[in-house]
Amino acid sequence: MLYFLTFLIIIAAYLLGSISSAILICKLARLPDPRTQGSKNPGATNVLRMSNKFIASLVLIFDLLKGTLPVYGAFLLGVEPLHLGFIALAACLGHMYPVFFQFKGGKAVATAFGALAPISWGFALMLISTWLFVAKTTKYSSLAAIVTVSLAPLYSWLIKPMYTQSVTMISILILIRHRSNIWRLLTGKEDKFSKEEI
């Protein structure tokens, strides 16, 4: 019964992840489709470049909840750690390849964080601190995400080892999704934050 429930939650997580808050909020705010502007990534960072911190914050909150709600809900129902990882992957894949938006989505960094944060406050704080440190010192949002997800399995192993396998799966997915950013960073073509954005 629990396996069937887990399967249903995985499907629900993908569908929830497929609701692109960036596209919908930009439409409500009468802004262009974020997939056609800036980095063409429907996420909070690109929306920030297009609008303001309030609108970007709304996108960020909704993207976080897309990861948190299905994963934490499944945790409360007793779903085992490895299967929680599959649910988190489904939410992230929904954000990356949304069925409601022609499968053209974002990088799922916020959704992944939302899925991972409930592991523990200490774990969440380590992720936030790493992202902020790298973003502040380098002004590269993508590099901050890449470094943070690369270190996430180590943080999990130190704090909650039973979740390390699930965290590693999510980290690999996010790194694969950032392969174009990695190439632009290596070739010096990646865009930085402005001083006002970070």
Side-chain angles (χ1 to χ4, degrees), residues 21-42:
S21 59
I23 296 173
L24 294 175
I25 289 173
C26 282
K27 189 171 184 179
L28 289 172
R30 297 183 179 179
L31 294 167
D33 187 326
R35 296 173 297 178
T36 67
Q37 304 290 316
S39 66
K40 297 181 172 56
N41 178 55

Side-chain angles (χ1 to χ4, degrees), residues 166-185:
S166 295
V167 173
T168 301
M169 290 191 301
I170 298 169
S171 294
I172 291 171
L173 177 65
I174 301 299
L175 287 172
I176 291 172
R177 186 62 169 162
H178 277 78
R179 60 191 182 278
S180 60
N181 300 89
I182 293 171
W183 175 250
R184 287 196 297 271
L185 285 165

